Amino acid sequence: MTFYILLALLNGFCIAISRIWNGQLASYYGAFRASYVNHIIGFLFLSVVMLLLLEPPQLSTSANMLVYLGGFIGAFYVAINSLVMSRLGSTNTMILVITGQMGFGLLLDSSTNSSSELLLKVLGVMFIVIGVYLKQAIQHKQASLAS
């Protein structure tokens, strides 16, 4: 179990550094071109890994075709993240992305939680969003006063 916990933490580090580098790439190419470059490099990397493992990928014929939309959503996520990262910065972007994940989790859990428990969770997510908004507003005001 410890190995998987460490692996999950490493994955979080990889996601964070990937978001930062994709945001920087977007400043050179724009969000959608940066996403394209990101996915081409990812495709090449995974192609080499698959060749080394000698396991060609096979699409499942029994799976519902909707499950393959994850690739589309992943590409869309990278493009949006690249665009937002250059405007909000890495910390704010990561906080808001995680908050969005929490919000969607709340939506999925809404039928299984009690109303008071759900209300507390919704308030927690709202406080995160309000905190990031206030931080951005204060920084914007300080920057305009300094100029």
Side-chain angles (χ1 to χ4, degrees):
M1 185 61 79
T2 303
F3 172 74
Y4 293 110
I5 292 171
L6 292 174
L7 199 57
L9 290 172
L10 175 64
N11 192 36
F13 174 80
C14 290
I15 289 170
I17 198 75
S18 170
R19 289 176 182 167
I20 292 167
W21 285 342
N22 288 337
Q24 290 178 351
L25 190 62
S27 69
Y28 293 110
Y29 294 115
F32 287 99
R33 283 193 179 126
S35 178
Y36 177 75
V37 168
N38 178 308
H39 283 84
I40 290 296
I41 291 171
F43 170 76
L44 293 173
F45 171 74
L46 288 176
S47 296
V48 168
V49 169
M50 293 304 287
L51 288 172
L52 291 175
L53 294 176
L54 300 173
E55 291 183 32
Q58 297 177 356
L59 298 178
S60 172
T61 56
S62 64
N64 181 340
M65 292 307 289
L66 287 176
V67 300
Y68 293 107
L69 284 177
F72 169 78
I73 293 168
F76 189 62
Y77 159 76
V78 169
I80 289 173
N81 196 70
S82 296
L83 178 66
V84 172
M85 181 74 68
S86 62
R87 303 291 195 295
L88 296 179
S90 58
T91 302
N92 289 337
T93 299
M94 286 189 274
I95 288 170
L96 290 171
V97 166
I98 292 167
T99 303
Q101 291 172 336
M102 291 169 57
F104 189 71
L106 283 173
L107 180 68
L108 293 175
D109 287 346
S110 64
S111 63
T112 60
N113 289 332
S114 69
S115 350
S116 60
E117 186 178 328
L118 184 61
L119 178 63
L120 287 174
K121 290 179 179 181
V122 168
L123 284 173
V125 171
M126 286 174 46
F127 282 135
I128 293 170
V129 173
I130 291 168
V132 171
Y133 176 79
L134 290 174
K135 179 181 175 278
Q136 284 294 109
I138 290 168
Q139 284 179 338
H140 181 69
K141 187 170 185 166
Q142 288 175 342
S144 65
L145 290 175
S147 339

